[in-house]
Amino acid sequence: MAGLLYRLGRLSARRHWTVIVSWALIIALAGVGYGLFHGAISSAITIPGTATSKVTDELATKFPKASGGSGSIVFATTDGSALSDGQKSDVTALLGKIGRFAGVKATTDPFTTQAKLDAQKQQITDGRAKITAGEQQLSASQSQLDAGKAHLATAQQQLTSAEAQAGAAGKAPAAAAQFAQQQAVLDAQTAALTTNQQKIDAGKATLAEQKTKLGLGAELAGLAKNIRLVSSDGSAAVGTVQFTKSTNSISPQLKDRVVSAAADAGISGVKVSVSNDIAQGVPSVIGPGEIVGLIVAAIVLLVMLGTVIGAALPLLSALVGVGAATLGALAFSGVVQFTSVTPVLGLMLGLAVGIDYSLFIINRHRTQLKQGLELHESIGLANGTSGNAVVFAGTTVIVALLALNITGIPFLGLMGTVGAVAVAVAILVAISFTPAVLSLVGMRILRKKERALIGTAEAAPVANRAMATPRAIVTLVVGVIVLAVIALPAMQMRLGLPDGASEATSSSQYTAYKTIESKFGAGQNSPLLVVANLPKAATGDALLAKEVMIGQKIASRSAVSAVVPIGASSDNTTVAFQIIPTGGPSSVSTEKLVHDLRNLSPLSSSDGRITLGVAGNASAQIDVSEKLANVLPIYLVVVVGLSLIILIIVFRSLVVPLTATAGFVLSLFATFGGLTAIYQFGWLSAIFGVHDPAPILSFLPVIEVGILFGLAMDYQLFLVSGMREAFAHGAPAKIAVQRGLQVGRPVVTAAAIIMIAVFSGFIFSDSSTIRPIGFGLAFGVLVDAFIVRMLLIPSAMHLLGRAAWWFPKWLDRIVPDVDVEGASLERTHPHPGAVAPSADAGGSPVPEQSGAVTRTDEVAVGHRHPAHRA
């Protein structure tokens, strides 16, 4: 590999314009591909196959009118007074206008809907009054009928007695006609009474049926009593916009059109705010924070390299790589569903590693030029040595990112793939574009003073004293304790997705969220949907009774504010409800409620079991967070295992990989602790702009594992390989630690500061999703580079001594020899910096071991990471 990169470097140097133009064409082609084939980028995070997605699919099939994404538009008077009739008319007109947009299924007028809700309550009151009046009327009629029946019975008794007396007196024949006439009158009256009784009975039955139905209706109304679309003081109202497509499929153009219509409403005295479901869009790629981060990186480069040209080249290389990778990846967004954070993550990584990888090659080239090496030979040798290390280091990052695909979560796998592409392009740019530009710049990469001293540079003094053992013990113990303390908050880490409360306080989403929370209750920001599948079709009162029974069971759960029936499916086998929790979307109570509702299923009924399913944005967030929390340990085990294998191959040791991996785990959990303390607990909130602490972004821990693993292995390589080389050349193990630290510390310090600066720029992004990612990566690099790699690892290596390099002979024969820094290339391409073998701590010459070249200039160049096999 080193020889191939050497030839590539020289070729790029000789044909520099061809290489530069080729990269310009690649960016242009990527831009054309993006312009022709890009698609919509969604801000929603979803995972297919979750319980929520299954219920959502069922809703789309059985309740087509209720399917499609939706969002809220909140109207509130600026002075807190009740909305006037004129303002209400303007609100209704705005919602009507939005309802006519292509892609909008319907809008809900809050005033009409609230009037209907209020009318339903009045109808129930009026219905009860009518039933009571009807019952009283029927009772009076029954009393009259009973009196008639008693009078008729008396008359019948008297007639019967008269007939008997006439018979006894022998006058029956003469009075027979009269008796028959009287009996006919009595029979007619009896028939009339019977008819009246049937009417009264029918009336009672009708009233009983109405009373039952009214009672069921009253029960449902009671369950929904806390639902309001107009606040109780009349100062705020919530309109709903329902789209024809699901939230993920709504085009950004349609969302922007709704947002623009709301922003331009111009309703005097009314503030119009759009909820997160509509207003949340693709975060801006570059903002003030990102620019500041790049400026800090430029300053570090200027201090390290000493020339404006030198400082500009790594930045230029990074921008070339980012441009090609980002545009190229987004060209596929019309085929694959991109989440809004995916290209931003690629941008973060592309900038950070692009600057660092180019820096490693440029720094090596400058050192060789100062030692008198010819321009093109220096470029080729820098590409074959430091470029070889760049390829290996970048490959570890790529492998870790691609491993995100094993989680089985599509959006996370795509995020890892796009990040891996960004790193791969950064590597290609570093080993081709950077040599080409170095050739174009020529000797101007050095300062005038440095050019005047070419060939006279002397090797820096070699460290011949080991670290004091007590210092190593104290450093190791204190460092581990500090990281453990920082990691403590991670024990209470909760995962979730951003909601309106996480957005900037000046944003429409935040205003909408807080207005709903204060005027209608936090739960109306996080409605749930419950779908109940009945054992068999039900109609009429039976269906109503089922709805009441299910609604009451749901309402019996804690943290339920309201239960609103949506209706029944066309085949009457499924009923749906909207549930309003008492807590917000990210609250513990809402999370518990989702589990409680699912645990209710199945419900027992007289005709079989009723199964329940839960959906809604809050439910989806919970499902996504739990799924990601479940895959995190699996992914961590895979990455840690990968770490051990890679480091065993590189360092040909069993102990060094274990210390490196232990350090990675320490820095990882310390990063989780910092994230939890700031973004969930709200510590130092004023500094980081955390106005509403919330659960940690659900996919952030998995992303942190992948990216920090790759970067940690980079730093481990750049530091410990120098220790390995010094030990392989005969230096005592403890002195080798100091020599390796002396070699790698300058470049790791610069690289880490640059990465921290770039990642920190995203901490102050306008996106609530991007901010914690930026902090997590910046803090993770800070902890891993400056505490773990430059303090704890050297201390542990010192205490381990020769034991750190123990490697079984049988394993030595199996494991391939990896020449990461191209030492074999240097043996065949010596340059003026090569000097006699170094001396050990006692000043005696140290013989070469196992064919390794003994050098002293690796310390002078301040960045060398030689071969690792003794």
Side-chain angles (χ1 to χ4, degrees):
M1 175 64 78
L4 176 63
L5 291 174
Y6 168 79
R7 292 190 294 274
L8 175 62
R10 288 189 64 94
L11 177 64
S12 299
R14 291 196 306 270
R15 304 291 180 85
H16 51 260
W17 279 118
T18 301
V19 173
I20 292 170
V21 171
S22 296
W23 276 108
L25 287 175
I26 290 172
I27 294 175
L29 289 173
V32 171
Y34 171 74
L36 293 176
F37 305 114
H38 77 280
I41 296 179
S42 172
S43 57
I45 304 295
T46 59
I47 299 177
T50 61
T52 297
S53 65
K54 292 175 182 176
V55 175
T56 302
D57 293 341
E58 184 178 7
L59 276 170
T61 302
K62 296 190 174 183
F63 295 87
K65 290 184 178 179
S67 64
S70 64
S72 300
I73 301 180
V74 182
F75 306 89
T77 56
T78 54
D79 59 2
S81 61
L83 289 157
S84 66
D85 291 339
Q87 290 169 333
K88 290 179 181 179
S89 297
D90 290 341
V91 169
T92 300
L94 173 62
L95 291 171
K97 174 185 175 182
I98 293 173
R100 292 188 292 273
F101 289 172
V104 175
K105 182 182 293 185
T107 56
T108 301
D109 182 351
F111 309 109
T112 303
T113 307
Q114 187 65 55
K116 289 180 179 178
L117 291 173
D118 295 339
Q120 287 175 355
K121 295 176 184 178
Q122 188 60 45
Q123 286 171 0
I124 291 173
T125 301
D126 294 344
R128 283 175 170 164
K130 288 181 180 179
I131 288 174
T132 301
E135 287 176 336
Q136 291 174 349
Q137 185 177 356
L138 285 176
S139 178
S141 298
Q142 185 67 56
S143 297
Q144 292 176 357
L145 187 63
D146 291 342
K149 286 180 178 180
H151 178 73
L152 188 61
T154 301
Q156 183 65 56
Q157 186 178 4
Q158 290 174 350
L159 179 59
T160 302
S161 177
E163 287 179 340
Q165 290 176 359
K171 298 179 180 179
Q178 182 181 356
F179 287 150
Q181 185 179 3
Q182 291 176 350
Q183 186 63 54
V185 172
L186 291 177
D187 289 344
Q189 291 176 346
T190 299
L193 288 176
T194 300
T195 300
N196 289 338
Q197 185 62 62
Q198 291 174 346
K199 290 180 179 180
I200 290 174
D201 290 342
K204 287 181 177 180
T206 300
L207 280 179
E209 183 180 346
Q210 291 176 348
K211 190 173 184 178
T212 299
K213 186 172 292 186
L214 186 65
L216 293 172
E219 289 287 349
L220 290 178
L223 294 173
K225 65 182 179 181
N226 291 331
I227 284 286
R228 294 195 65 86
L229 296 180
V230 179
S231 64
S232 55
D233 63 1
S235 65
V238 179
T240 303
V241 180
Q242 187 178 5
F243 299 94
T244 56
K245 296 181 179 180
S246 65
T247 302
N248 296 338
S249 303
I250 302 170
S251 68
Q253 292 79 8
L254 178 56
K255 287 186 176 182
D256 290 342
R257 192 178 179 192
V258 174
V259 171
S260 296
D264 298 337
I267 304 175
S268 178
V270 175
K271 184 172 181 59
V272 183
S273 307
V274 182
S275 73
N276 210 40
D277 300 310
I278 301 175
Q280 187 181 40
V282 180
S284 60
V285 175
I286 294 293
E290 291 84 348
I291 293 174
V292 170
L294 289 176
I295 292 173
V296 172
I299 293 172
V300 173
L301 290 169
L302 185 60
V303 170
M304 182 176 184
L305 301 177
T307 66
V308 174
I309 291 178
L313 289 187
L315 292 173
L316 178 61
S317 296
L319 292 175
V320 167
V322 164
T326 303
L327 290 174
L330 288 176
F332 292 93
S333 59
V335 180
V336 183
Q337 180 64 62
F338 273 60
T339 58
S340 58
V341 72
T342 300
V344 180
L345 181 65
L347 175 69
M348 280 186 189
L349 287 174
L351 281 175
V353 302
I355 294 172
D356 280 359
Y357 292 167
S358 180
L359 169 64
F360 298 148
I361 295 173
I362 292 171
N363 193 47
R364 181 60 174 264
H365 170 60
R366 291 180 74 256
T367 302
Q368 292 171 168
L369 287 180
K370 286 187 287 186
Q371 293 172 346
L373 207 61
E374 185 269 332
L375 179 66
H376 285 187
E377 176 67 11
S378 176
I379 292 173
L381 194 58
N383 216 45
T385 53
S386 290
N388 197 37
V390 162
V391 171
F392 179 82
T395 301
T396 64
V397 182
I398 291 171
V399 170
L401 288 170
L402 289 178
L404 286 170
N405 287 278
I406 69 172
T407 62
I409 299 174
F411 86 87
L412 200 57
L414 180 62
M415 197 178 294
T417 301
V418 171
V421 168
V423 175
V425 173
I427 294 172
L428 292 175
V429 169
I431 62 177
S432 60
F433 180 82
T434 298
V437 178
L438 286 174
S439 174
L440 187 64
V441 170
M443 301 303 293
R444 287 175 295 171
I445 195 69
L446 299 177
R447 289 175 293 179
K448 289 183 179 180
K449 183 178 179 181
E450 292 171 329
R451 293 199 292 268
L453 297 175
I454 286 177
T456 63
E458 297 182 358
V462 177
N464 282 321
R465 294 185 61 184
M467 181 189 308
T469 298
R471 176 188 170 190
I473 295 173
V474 171
T475 300
L476 187 62
V477 172
V478 172
V480 170
I481 291 175
V482 168
L483 292 181
V485 170
I486 296 174
L488 283 176
M491 298 177 66
Q492 300 179 53
M493 183 170 67
R494 294 177 59 234
L495 301 181
L497 293 174
D499 52 38
S502 303
E503 300 297 333
T505 53
S506 59
S507 67
S508 175
Q509 303 99 298
Y510 185 84
T511 303
Y513 184 96
K514 287 299 182 179
T515 301
I516 291 176
E517 184 179 64
S518 63
K519 296 293 184 179
F520 302 93
Q524 292 211 179
N525 279 306
S526 53
L528 301 171
L529 292 171
V530 172
V531 175
N533 292 304
L534 307 179
K536 62 181 182 180
T539 58
D541 289 350
L543 178 61
L544 200 59
K546 292 285 187 188
E547 288 182 314
V548 170
M549 185 271 286
I550 297 168
Q552 288 175 336
K553 288 285 187 180
I554 293 172
S556 67
R557 303 292 94 184
S558 60
V560 174
S561 175
V563 180
V564 186
I566 294 175
S569 60
S570 57
D571 59 2
N572 290 323
T573 60
T574 304
V575 291
F577 301 84
Q578 185 183 61
I579 314 302
I580 304 299
T582 56
S586 59
S587 68
V588 176
S589 63
T590 300
E591 181 178 349
K592 183 177 183 299
L593 175 60
V594 170
H595 294 300
D596 286 348
L597 292 174
R598 287 174 175 165
N599 291 336
L600 269 178
S601 183
L603 296 175
S604 298
S605 67
S606 58
D607 54 357
R609 290 184 163 188
I610 302 171
T611 59
L612 303 180
V614 184
N617 288 342
S619 169
Q621 290 186 17
I622 291 168
D623 285 349
V624 169
S625 300
E626 290 184 350
K627 176 76 172 177
L628 289 166
N630 291 336
V631 302
L632 177 60
I634 299 172
Y635 181 63
L636 183 58
V637 168
V638 170
V639 167
V640 168
L642 185 66
S643 165
L644 289 171
I645 294 172
I646 291 175
L647 293 178
I648 286 173
I649 293 174
V650 171
F651 295 115
R652 311 189 72 77
S653 162
L654 294 179
V655 179
V656 170
L658 290 175
T659 60
T661 303
F664 163 65
V665 173
L666 273 174
S667 61
L668 181 68
F669 283 101
T671 302
F672 289 169
L675 280 165
T676 305
I678 291 171
Y679 289 92
Q680 182 176 318
F681 295 169
W683 297 355
L684 304 176
S685 57
I687 297 175
F688 295 97
V690 184
H691 45 77
D692 287 74
I696 302 304
L697 189 64
S698 55
F699 58 84
L700 180 53
V702 181
I703 291 293
E704 289 281 334
V705 170
I707 296 175
L708 289 183
F709 160 72
L711 300 181
M713 296 308 101
D714 285 359
Y715 301 143
Q716 183 79 8
L717 167 67
F718 297 142
L719 287 170
V720 181
S721 61
M723 302 176 190
R724 172 64 187 171
E725 178 68 6
F727 179 72
H729 288 167
K734 295 185 177 182
I735 291 178
V737 171
Q738 287 299 94
R739 291 185 181 178
L741 189 61
Q742 184 180 10
V743 169
R745 183 164 46 200
V747 73
V748 169
T749 299
I753 291 174
I754 289 170
M755 282 205 175
I756 292 168
V758 173
F759 290 144
S760 295
F762 291 88
I763 295 175
F764 305 99
S765 166
D766 59 355
S767 170
S768 58
T769 302
I770 301 302
R771 289 195 294 268
I773 295 178
F775 173 83
L777 294 178
F779 188 69
V781 170
L782 174 68
V783 169
D784 193 84
F786 291 103
I787 298 180
V788 173
R789 304 301 152 189
M790 285 195 274
L791 290 178
L792 300 189
I793 293 298
S795 298
M797 295 286 290
H798 172 87
L799 295 174
L800 287 167
R802 293 184 62 88
W805 303 110
W806 175 76
F807 201 52
K809 291 184 179 180
W810 63 269
L811 193 56
D812 183 65
R813 291 191 295 269
I814 298 173
V815 174
D817 186 8
V818 180
D819 183 9
V820 175
E821 266 274 340
S824 60
L825 178 67
E826 287 192 297
R827 287 196 291 269
T828 58
H829 293 78
H831 57 82
V835 293
S838 61
D840 62 11
S844 303
V846 178
E848 296 180 0
Q849 300 183 13
S850 303
V853 175
T854 306
R855 300 279 303 272
T856 58
D857 62 323
E858 71 262 29
V859 177
V861 299
H863 62 278
R864 196 167 176 275
H865 320 291
H868 312 299
R869 183 170 185 174

